[in-house]
């Protein structure tokens, strides 16, 4: 069995096959300030009085928070009141919240082997822990509130075998951008992506979260890593004991891809699809001027990402033509960055540092682009209008490339600074 | 479930994502009528405010609805009065959201044979799509039985309450 089949079989209490439909009770059901209000309204509309499993419900207001306008404030108010009325303890108020997919693993709320649904497409992030985690809609969440169940189709899997080691300043982000360019934006539609091979142990937990996070950008239902000694150590820090989990030798895959980490270069994904990746050395030749650099998000807002950005920005200054916005993914990440002196480095370099929020990634607030503006961003999507005006552009890259570009004022190779 | 749908076709391309279907700048509300006004806004500005889209059919290419999990996307389309979406393929979360809220969607490999303004007819019961303007007929693969049950109930929550509710 593949990892996806193993977890779903365990939850179903019998061996399941790809293509089967299942009704299962997830361990965790997540929603945010955009998707929860719709779920709450539906729950009430369909006669919901008492949430079936309040201890499995997680509510994180992270997209338009701290509230960007009155309407957003009303949305969060609805979530807050719902949490109080239903006795939902995992509602994360401003000051304690983080970007949901940084926060949940960090707090040990999601763990290896769990079945997790979230009304947020990047819920697939927890696949890094070896959890079957996938994005669903608000109606699915409302259904979970009502009856504690969600429907699933058991996915086929794509196996990605990793070998070698990353070269200096090449990261997990570069790996996943390259992978999406190989698979295409719908290459993994309805399927799970499963990572394996000797290269897996070369990738830290923070790196694995970045990779699993972007499985959805290839259409993937989730992006699963095996549970190995790195995962076990991460879980143990949170007081969680888990066992190793690998796919079976005879597991069946619909497609196999091999990638050598040592052959990768830093990548830049051009507008308007995450699959438009090019080597940064090629991109640099084009002298693409940028107006903004964003370093953060559920993709790259963890401590290793900030360390990498600080390594590049230390003792240098951001181009006077660029706004560089750095957003730690959670309060813990923020505090750790303060402790390590990273925030000093950022401020001395001329960066703005923000409280955790999804903000600019989806053109919400905290760095919306004007007409004709160009951003380099460590976020996950570069669709038309994603970060603001429909005639603005977003290039996706790693924290190293984003930081180097912020200094130069154009998309630049961090290895040549 | 509506089994026979007929309407004027509006054509869109490949990889129409949820940011184009309903941009995040309009997501500070979950009111369907508000969302409907900005339906397809960044794919075709002003589309949601046209008075000739009621009852019409969106026809698109591959991977329709990719990107965010925002159910606001199919909600906006449904509330704008679009009766059905035909596409070569759908992104997974959009697909389940549409099924869950009872928005008819049809996967059709030959979707690119439709042109703007053609009149399409979708017969869900018999698994047929027709281009009445061009006089063409296509067979469509029926939904898996489980999804058909959700569609027949009118959506996932209706199904929940009827079939599995305690």
């Amino acid at each position: 069995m593949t990892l996806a089949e193993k977890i779903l079989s365990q939850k179903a209490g019998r061996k399941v096959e790809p293509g089967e439909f299942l009704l299962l009770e997830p361990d965790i059901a997540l929603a945010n300030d955009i998707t929860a209000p719709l779920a709450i309204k539906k729950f009430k509309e369909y006669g919901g009085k008492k949430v079936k499993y309040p201890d499995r419900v997680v509510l994180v207001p992270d997209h338009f928070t701290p509230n960007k306008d009155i309407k957003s404030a009303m949305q969060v108010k609805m979530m807050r009141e719902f949490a109080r009325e239903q006795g939902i303890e995992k509602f994360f108020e401003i000051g304690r919240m983080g970007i949901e997919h940084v926060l949940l693993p960090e707090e040990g709320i999601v763990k290896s082997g769990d079945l997790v649904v979230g009304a947020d497409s990047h819920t697939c992030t927890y696949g890094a822990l070896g959890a079957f985690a996938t994005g669903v809609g608000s109606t699915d969440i409302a259904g979970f509130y009502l009856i504690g169940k969600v429907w699933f189709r058991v996915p086929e899997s794509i196996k990605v075998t990793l070998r070698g080691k990353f070269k200096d300043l090449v990261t997990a982000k570069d790996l996943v951008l390259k992978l999406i360019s190989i698979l295409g934006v719908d290459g993994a539609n309805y399927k799970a992506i499963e990572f394996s091979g000797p290269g897996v142990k070369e990738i830290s937990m923070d790196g694995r979260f970045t990779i699993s996070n972007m499985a959805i950008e290839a259409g993937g239902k989730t992006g699963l890593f095996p549970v190995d000694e790195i995962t076990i150590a991460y879980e143990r820090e949170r007081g969680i004991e888990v066992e190793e989990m690998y796919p079976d030798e005879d597991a069946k895959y619909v497609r196999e891809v091999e990638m050598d980490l040592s052959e990768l270069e830093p990548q830049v994904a051009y507008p308007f699809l995450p699959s438009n990746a090019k080597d940064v050395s090629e991109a640099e030749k084009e002298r693409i001027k940028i107006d903004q650099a964003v370093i953060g998000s559920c993709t790259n807002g963890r401590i290793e990402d900030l360390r990498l950005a600080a390594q590049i920005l230390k003792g240098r200054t951001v181009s006077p033509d660029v706004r560089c916005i750095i957003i730690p993914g959670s309060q813990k990440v923020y505090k750790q960055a303060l402790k390590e002196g990273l925030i000093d480095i950022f401020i001395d370099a001329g960066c703005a540092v923000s409280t955790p929020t999804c903000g600019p990634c989806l053109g919400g607030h905290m760095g919306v682009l004007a007409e004709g503006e160009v951003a380099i961003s460590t976020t996950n999507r570069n669709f038309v209008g994603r970060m603001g005006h429909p005639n603005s552009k977003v290039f996706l890259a790693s924290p190293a490339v984003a930081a180097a570009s912020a200094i130069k004022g154009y998309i630049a190779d961090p290895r040549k600074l | 479930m509506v089994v026979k749908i007929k309407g004027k076709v509006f054509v869109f391309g490949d990889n129409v994502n949820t940011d184009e279907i309903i941009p995040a700048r309009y997501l500070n509300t979950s009111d369907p009528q508000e969302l409907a006004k900005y339906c397809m806004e960044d794919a075709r500005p002003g589309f949601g405010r046209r008075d000739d889209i009621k009852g019409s059919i969106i026809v698109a290419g591959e991977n329709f609805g990719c990107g965010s999990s925002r159910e606001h996307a199919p909600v906006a389309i449904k509330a704008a009065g679009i009766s059905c979406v035909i596409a070569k393929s759908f992104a997974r979360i959009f697909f389940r959201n549409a099924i869950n809220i009872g928005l008819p969607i049809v996967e059709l490999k030959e979707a690119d044979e439709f042109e703007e303004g053609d009149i399409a007819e979708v017969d869900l019961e018999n698994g047929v799509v027709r281009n009445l303007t061009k006089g063409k007929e296509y067979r469509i693969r029926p939904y898996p039985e489980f999804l058909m049950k959700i569609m027949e109930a009118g959506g996932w929550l209706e199904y929940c309450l009827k079939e599995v509710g305690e």
Side-chain angles (χ1 to χ4, degrees), chain B residues 7-11 56-59 86 114-120:
Chain B
K8 186 167 76 168
V9 163
F10 288 94
V11 173
S56 69
I57 294 174
I58 287 177
V59 177
I86 300 172
F114 279 88
E115 283 179 280
E116 184 95 2
D118 285 354
I119 302 297

Side-chain angles (χ1 to χ4, degrees), chain A residues 194-234:
Chain A
E194 189 181 291
F195 297 93
S196 63
V200 164
K201 68 174 191 318
E202 301 300 327
I203 306 172
S204 66
M205 272 321 301
D206 279 7
R208 294 181 192 187
F209 286 124
T210 300
I211 293 168
S212 293
N213 173 271
M214 289 194 72
I216 178 70
E217 306 323 327
K221 186 163 190 168
T222 188
L224 279 156
F225 274 84
V227 181
D228 62 6
E229 61 273 29
I230 294 173
T231 333
I232 289 171
Y234 180 91

Side-chain angles (χ1 to χ4, degrees), chain A residues 23 34 41 46 64 69 71 119-120 134-140 147 151 185-186 189-190 362 381 383 386, chain B residues 15 17 19 24 27-28 30 63 67-69 71-72 90 92 95-97 100 144 146 156-158 164 166:
Chain A
L23 270 179
I34 291 177
K41 279 204 235 170
Y46 285 80
F64 294 158
D69 54 23
K71 282 184 177 174
D120 187 279
T134 190
V136 297
S138 295
T139 294
D140 288 300
I147 64 162
W151 65 268
V185 284
D186 59 354
N189 201 10
Y190 301 104
L362 73 162
R381 291 193 176 126
F383 298 146
R386 175 73 179 178
Chain B
N15 299 310
N17 61 76
D19 280 284
L27 292 184
N28 54 5
S30 50
N63 205 26
S68 156
S69 70
E71 199 166 293
H72 310 61
F90 291 91
R92 185 187 66 85
F95 181 84
R96 74 181 287 135
N97 284 342
N100 280 347
F146 178 75
W156 171 235
L157 296 180
E158 287 78 2
V164 290
E166 277 111 311

Side-chain angles (χ1 to χ4, degrees), chain A residues 146-202:
Chain A
L146 283 166
I147 64 162
K149 292 188 177 83
V150 176
W151 65 268
F152 295 89
R153 179 186 168 279
V154 182
E156 293 81 13
S157 294
I158 294 174
K159 182 182 186 178
V160 180
T161 305
L162 306 175
R163 296 180 205 292
K165 288 182 186 191
F166 288 124
K167 286 185 293 196
D168 194 31
L169 298 177
V170 180
T171 67
K173 181 62 166 285
D174 304 305
L175 186 155
V176 74
L177 288 177
K178 185 75 185 181
L179 177 62
I180 296 160
S181 76
I182 294 168
L183 295 176
V185 284
D186 59 354
N189 201 10
Y190 301 104
K191 299 177 187 75
I193 302 174
E194 189 181 291
F195 297 93
S196 63
V200 164
K201 68 174 191 318
E202 301 300 327

Side-chain angles (χ1 to χ4, degrees), chain A residues 351-366:
Chain A
C351 305
V353 182
S354 157
T355 192
T357 180
C358 304
C361 172
L362 73 162
H365 64 153
M366 277 305 296

Side-chain angles (χ1 to χ4, degrees), chain B residues 15 34 49 51 66 70 92 95 119 140 163:
Chain B
N15 299 310
E34 265 306 294
R49 298 179 294 286
D51 48 21
C66 62
R70 61 186 74 152
R92 185 187 66 85
F95 181 84
I119 302 297
I140 49 173
E163 303 290 327

Side-chain angles (χ1 to χ4, degrees), chain B residues 18 21-22 39 64-65 68-80 82 85 93-99 101 103 105:
Chain B
T18 52
I21 298 171
I22 183 77
C39 163
F64 186 85
S68 156
S69 70
R70 61 186 74 152
E71 199 166 293
H72 310 61
V75 166
I77 291 173
K78 196 179 176 194
I82 306 295
V85 182
I93 307 178
F94 183 91
F95 181 84
R96 74 181 287 135
N97 284 342
I99 299 279
I101 68 164
L103 169 70
I105 56 172

